[in-house]
Amino acid sequence: ELFVLGGALNLAGDFLCPVIESVVREEALAPALEVFAIRRSAFGADACVMGLTALVVNYTLEQIAGL
């Protein structure tokens, strides 16, 4: 439903977004197109680092909680 460009791909967003949208519109089933959107990450080039940080924090909290 939501395609987010992050990290280095975010820097090429002006080029990539129209291409990705075109391919999705050609290949996706009609119901999926009603809710499809492309966004560039607010974290820009730091998106990958922020995602990794979130995974580590989540994993650590799960270990502490014994889940």
Side-chain angles (χ1 to χ4, degrees):
E1 294 178 13
L2 180 61
F3 189 98
V4 179
L5 285 178
L9 294 177
N10 195 23
L11 301 174
D14 290 339
F15 170 75
L16 290 176
C17 286
V19 174
I20 293 167
E21 186 167 355
S22 174
V23 170
V24 169
R25 298 223 176 273
E26 290 174 15
E27 302 294 332
L29 299 173
L33 296 176
E34 295 175 14
V35 294
F36 175 74
I38 300 175
R39 300 288 182 267
R40 294 168 76 172
S41 171
F43 294 115
D46 293 332
C48 295
V49 174
M50 297 299 290
L52 176 62
T53 302
L55 287 172
V56 170
V57 168
N58 187 49
Y59 176 80
T60 303
L61 292 175
E62 285 178 354
Q63 296 303 307
I64 291 170
L67 298 175

